[in-house]
Amino acid sequence: MPPSAAASPAPESRPAIPEAGSAAVSAPVPARLPDLADRFASRTEGMTASEIRALFAVASRPEVVSLAGGMPNLAALPLDLLASEVAELISRDGQVALQYGSAQGVPLLREQITEVMAAEGIRAHADDVVVTIGSQMALDLVTRIFCDPGDIVLAEGPSYVGALGSFAAYQAQVRHVAMDDDGLVPAALAEALSQLAAAGRRAKFLYTVPNFHNPAGVTLAVARRAEILELCRRYDVLVVEDNPYGLLGFDGQTYPALRSMDPDNVIYLGSFSKTFASGLRVGWALAPPAVRDKLVLAAESATLCPPTFNQMMVSRYLAGHDWRGQVKSFREMYRERRDAMLGALSTYLPAGCRWTHPDGGFYVWLTVPEGVDTKAMLPRAVRARVAYASGTGFYADGLGSRQLRLSYCYPTPERITEGVRRLAGVLNAELEVLHTFGTPDRAATRSVGSGTRRGPQTPSPDTT
Amino acid sequence: MPPSAAASPAPESRPAIPEAGSAAVSAPVPARLPDLADRFASRTEGMTASEIRALFAVASRPEVVSLAGGMPNLAALPLDLLASEVAELISRDGQVALQYGSAQGVPLLREQITEVMAAEGIRAHADDVVVTIGSQMALDLVTRIFCDPGDIVLAEGPSYVGALGSFAAYQAQVRHVAMDDDGLVPAALAEALSQLAAAGRRAKFLYTVPNFHNPAGVTLAVARRAEILELCRRYDVLVVEDNPYGLLGFDGQTYPALRSMDPDNVIYLGSFSKTFASGLRVGWALAPPAVRDKLVLAAESATLCPPTFNQMMVSRYLAGHDWRGQVKSFREMYRERRDAMLGALSTYLPAGCRWTHPDGGFYVWLTVPEGVDTKAMLPRAVRARVAYASGTGFYADGLGSRQLRLSYCYPTPERITEGVRRLAGVLNAELEVLHTFGTPDRAATRSVGSGTRRGPQTPSPDTT
């Protein structure tokens, strides 16, 4: 939002409380609000609100089925048990839990994190783990230590909106690399790398979500993993592997982490937001020592240290409870919801729609028939009491106007089915208008690559 | 620390776990650690570890009296009561507390924060409060949205080490402005502003800690406040008022916040770290609407949102308990410790030492006799079982070699007295060497302004 649009009714301009006996109140307090447009750093130009924000107040009404958000469903958490755990934590260890800690994170939790990562074949030392405030902070710090303005980052197209937000905040340029149903396409990566090399450039890193991709709902085929790692090695490009959903494979399957296959060239990002509780904001980065040291320094200037209390709570939970059993409950809950969504999509959606079939995670990526603009359609969908995340938010280059992301993580199966039914109604109405009146002028310019070019969006919890 | 110094025994280089049936293990895993020195962003050059870090392992041994750290003393917190509060929070509101929230923070807590700020004369609306992960994050975000590389920030000399770390992380240049026992000197500020204007430059903001300054232990005289605000207005420079200690005046006195005197030109930063619990990492910024909007966007890309759980815990504490009474207990505890320190300084320190007399907060700023270098002396002090923070860490320009910061917040009065006695012994030994052998060559170059020029340090909880 430009500063000029931000002038609100301004409780700011009320007079200050007079301080008895002080010269304070004689300070000038002009009625005008300052025009700060010329003060902000140039990086703020890339900071824009996410598309769904404007609709959020409407979309969060109870009568609207929101398939837009990425909020994990916490219904399966054993709250009474957690309550007694946390009470004991405060009673017994409050003097430590409520105090500053190290910037790198609580040592015991870092040990435990290495055990969590072992499920995906990672062998790591706790010294190389940096605890962060959600993996979003890890993303922010990785970008901070690697990206000067104008530096290039490779990322899948589409890509996680929060990553695009961090890249924009540090004025990095995103070059998208194509995906298909088996994830990132090695030939497309090879082409991007060789084009950059031919131009005398080198990407700072490849950012990838290999498992149960957000927003695409696909998983990088195991056979492609070594090929992608070798390509990045050959062109001397680091890999940033973001893996918040890796343990949420619906058949209990896990995939070998890229980090397990090339420890020296991969920075791995993990999170407890989807496997335990997002509101604690505990994530981590696992990085080669030289990178780890920079991450710790950057973390110190960002927040001094992550909250000790939250780290100790996660640590107790991992130590004292069947967290693997809990993850299994989450998986089963999400699988039921995925089934509801795929079933409803098959039942209700008009011909010409295509969608991905996730075998884990939270999301389905839907491509609608030619001529339909998902961003333009969103207000009409919300009027029909269903919300989604339109596709353009997941690209840095304006693509995605024929796509949208559907989340099945939060609503009940019944609500998911009803939401998809409503979405189908909206799509049918759009198509009817198109068929009756022909493709409108603006639709004629909507083929791949011709969407309005706009900056990436900052993330918002409702679109994570 | 340069990347080359960071190579550790490298658990990273252990072979990856072979993945049965996958092509994974054929990926090349060279034994060498990658040399990443050419990859990091240029801003990482300003990220260096704080001086005390190297000594931290030694300085934190129980036999060493640490007067170095800024850890609040939490002994007075009612842990059992907090334990039952937090258990109830999880049992009753766990589905909200453990879930993502808004990037700006929990609305009820933002309301309550306006009530906390009212104690210092601030009238504000909850809409203009942004909850951050400690006020360190507020500092980081303010710098992020205002400072392009090379931009100038005015700050007291000495200044908070964590602020200098954030300014360095965004490659801002710090210009220090002199202080005396009444805080920032208006004439010095006027001179800095007019010199910048003459050079066609304008500082992005003045960063100031008006109350119970860290590290200087002085408070900005009330009579100077309007003058400083008017100077900043005249030169069109924003003020960033950092006030973590404002409620910790030992006689219960509070001072009118700069924000209360010029709402449109001051960004105010607050924290619960010193008045409640640092390990929860809950702070805030109060900003004019145009700035607030940018802060929220920047916060989203930094961490998505602050931990909901921690915010709700602070909110319950403020709503259900006599937090003002708790702050009074903290004040009394810190006053007793301040008295112990000032008494010991008078009793033990050799002639030629000068120190500040704080009437609130955590710190005394000590100037030692000519010829003594506090940074060079620190290892000898630690051998004598006392630790402090040497002065150079609090300047961006290499000054401070004749100064050091003493914290009285954490140790008992007896330990404080013993620590000062040991420090006096170390100082006497230094002076004896100087008197016996004359001023060493290096001391001859140690007059004001001639210290080794070095970058500012990133903060560390032990020196906050």
Side-chain angles (χ1 to χ4, degrees), chain A residues 16 43 98 144 260 279 293 300 459, chain B residues 6 16 43 98 144 260 279 300 459:
Chain A
R43 70 174 64 83
L98 298 174
R144 183 188 296 219
S260 74
D293 289 342
E300 280 184 349
Chain B
R43 69 174 66 83
L98 298 174
R144 183 187 296 219
S260 74
E300 280 184 348

Side-chain angles (χ1 to χ4, degrees), chain B residues 106 140 152 196 223 230 249 251 259 287 311 317 325 329 355 415 428 450-451:
Chain B
V106 168
D140 184 85
I152 294 166
L196 285 175
E230 193 166 338
D251 301 316
R259 167 57 175 72
Q311 295 177 77
Y317 172 76
S329 305
W355 56 90
R415 295 271 288 171
N428 282 324
S450 66

Side-chain angles (χ1 to χ4, degrees), chain B residues 17-18 127-128 232 282:
Chain B
I17 300 170
D127 286 351
D128 298 326
C232 288
V282 180

Side-chain angles (χ1 to χ4, degrees), chain B residues 277-295:
Chain B
S278 49
L280 297 176
R281 314 299 301 115
V282 180
W284 70 91
L286 170 68
V291 176
R292 171 207 62 199
D293 289 342
K294 296 285 185 201
L295 288 176

Side-chain angles (χ1 to χ4, degrees), chain A residues 164-211:
Chain A
L164 298 180
S166 284
F167 303 152
Y170 293 98
Q171 297 168 280
Q173 287 177 22
V174 174
R175 172 157 180 166
H176 287 296
V177 182
M179 308 173 82
D180 61 19
D181 286 346
D182 287 327
L184 193 66
V185 178
L189 177 62
E191 192 189 344
L193 289 165
S194 98
Q195 283 178 356
L196 286 173
R201 308 271 329 244
R202 180 172 67 181
K204 279 297 174 88
F205 52 80
L206 165 68
Y207 169 75
T208 177
V209 181
N211 303 319

Side-chain angles (χ1 to χ4, degrees), chain B residues 387-408:
Chain B
Y388 56 79
S390 50
T392 47
F394 302 96
Y395 286 91
D397 59 7
L399 293 184
S401 62
R402 259 187 73 192
Q403 278 79 32
L404 58 86
R405 188 191 72 176
L406 296 174
S407 308
Y408 49 80

